[in-house]
Amino acid sequence: MKKTVVGLTGQSGAGKTTISDAFRENGFEIINCDIVAREVTQAGNECCKELAKLFPNCFDENYSLDRQKLGEIVFSDKNKLQMLNDTIYPFINKLIDEKINAAPSRFILLDAPTLFEAGADKLCSVIVSVVADFGIRLERITKRDGISAELAKKRFSSQHTMEFFKAHSDFVIENNGSVNDTFQKTCEVIETIKERYNGG
Ligand SMILES: CC(C)(COP(=O)(O)OP(=O)(O)OC[C@H]1O[C@@H](n2cnc3c(N)ncnc32)[C@H](O)[C@@H]1O)[C@@H](O)C(=O)NCCC(=O)NCCS
Ligand SMILES: Nc1ncnc2c1ncn2[C@@H]1O[C@H](COP(=O)(O)OP(=O)(O)OP(=O)(O)O)[C@@H](O)[C@H]1O
């Protein structure tokens, strides 16, 4: 069975995980890369031991990761973010590969904020970006994650710009309005993708 992998990407708070529900309802198997990143950093595993060499203050004696502390460090320093990415992506990409191979569905959605940085765009037949305005994203993620506006802004500036996402995607979904409107737009995109790739 030839699998079609759709990469869903965009800045923090744009609405990737919200939109992924529409893909699930349309028969897609969802791989959420934030969850994959949590799986590879479960206390005591190999990835944590590698990261603890670089960020010793972010781990306790059981190699359990203090996520907020690491976020504060890497989203304030591009070199440290690069060190984190270089270390964690091989573990993440290996697990993504395993999940794609094990997926029972022919259609797979990769919900991945750092799709391009991780090189996971190369696994995708189609790339969909979700975009939303800065102020809206700021409000959403300070509320969702309970983080300060300052940390949220640092996280944004660690990511590609909206223009980058638009320029590197096959479809762009704007999510400044209601969830219902965005769901409708997403279903139209899904229909086009399915028409294009069914049987292909
Ligand atoms: C830095 C970490 C420990 C912060 O953990 P925390 O629980 O505070 O945040 P969480 O993991 O829920 O991520 C929240 C959002 O931050 C953004 N983000 C996460 N990692 C990165 C990154 N490397 N570069 C840019 N933005 C990122 C994404 O929009 C993500 O949805 C964590 O995000 C991490 O391990 N990041 C590296 C792995 C990665 O790139 N994950 C993204 C999916 S591949
Ligand atoms: N159209 C919308 N109207 C109101 N709230 C929304 C809308 N879209 C998303 N949200 C809310 O905004 C928050 C961020 O959305 P979501 O988690 O889907 O973003 P994301 O792109 O996956 O972000 P991240 O990369 O940080 O994980 C969530 O709490 C979600 O419920």
Side-chain angles (χ1 to χ4, degrees), residues 11-18 34 113 140-141 144 155 175 177-179:
Q11 294 165 309
S12 186
K16 296 174 290 297
T17 303
T18 305
D34 281 333
R140 285 180 185 158
I141 71 153
R144 185 196 65 187
R155 190 195 278 177
N175 180 31
S178 74
V179 173

Side-chain angles (χ1 to χ4, degrees), residues 4 11 17 21 36 54 57 77 92 100 116 122 150 162 168 178:
T4 300
Q11 294 165 309
T17 303
D21 284 343
V36 174
L54 303 169
N57 297 336
D77 181 331
I92 290 178
I100 290 175
F116 298 103
K122 295 180 190 73
E150 191 196 0
M162 190 191 281
H168 291 83
S178 74

Side-chain angles (χ1 to χ4, degrees), residues 74-180:
V74 297
F75 296 140
S76 307
D77 181 331
K78 293 228 183 294
N79 289 330
K80 292 196 170 142
L81 179 67
Q82 195 61 51
M83 283 160 64
L84 166 65
N85 288 350
D86 289 345
T87 308
I88 200 169
Y89 288 149
F91 290 95
I92 290 178
N93 287 338
K94 181 167 177 281
L95 195 49
I96 289 174
D97 256 348
E98 288 170 15
K99 286 179 187 285
I100 290 175
N101 288 331
S105 173
R106 163 186 186 337
F107 287 102
I108 294 160
L109 183 81
L110 209 53
D111 172 352
T114 53
L115 186 79
F116 298 103
E117 294 90 326
D121 55 311
K122 295 180 190 73
L123 303 171
C124 302
S125 314
V126 185
I127 295 179
V128 179
S129 281
V130 49
V131 299
D133 292 345
F134 176 88
I136 292 177
R137 289 186 291 108
L138 187 64
E139 197 183 327
R140 285 180 185 158
I141 71 153
T142 46
K143 199 165 148 200
R144 185 196 65 187
D145 295 346
I147 58 173
S148 65
E150 191 196 0
L151 180 55
K153 286 178 191 168
K154 284 181 179 168
R155 190 195 278 177
F156 293 161
S157 60
S158 305
Q159 301 186 328
H160 289 302
T161 60
M162 190 191 281
E163 288 66 36
F164 176 95
F165 284 110
K166 285 182 175 171
H168 291 83
S169 302
D170 300 292
F171 298 92
V172 178
I173 298 171
E174 189 216 272
N175 180 31
N176 285 320
S178 74
V179 173
N180 270 354

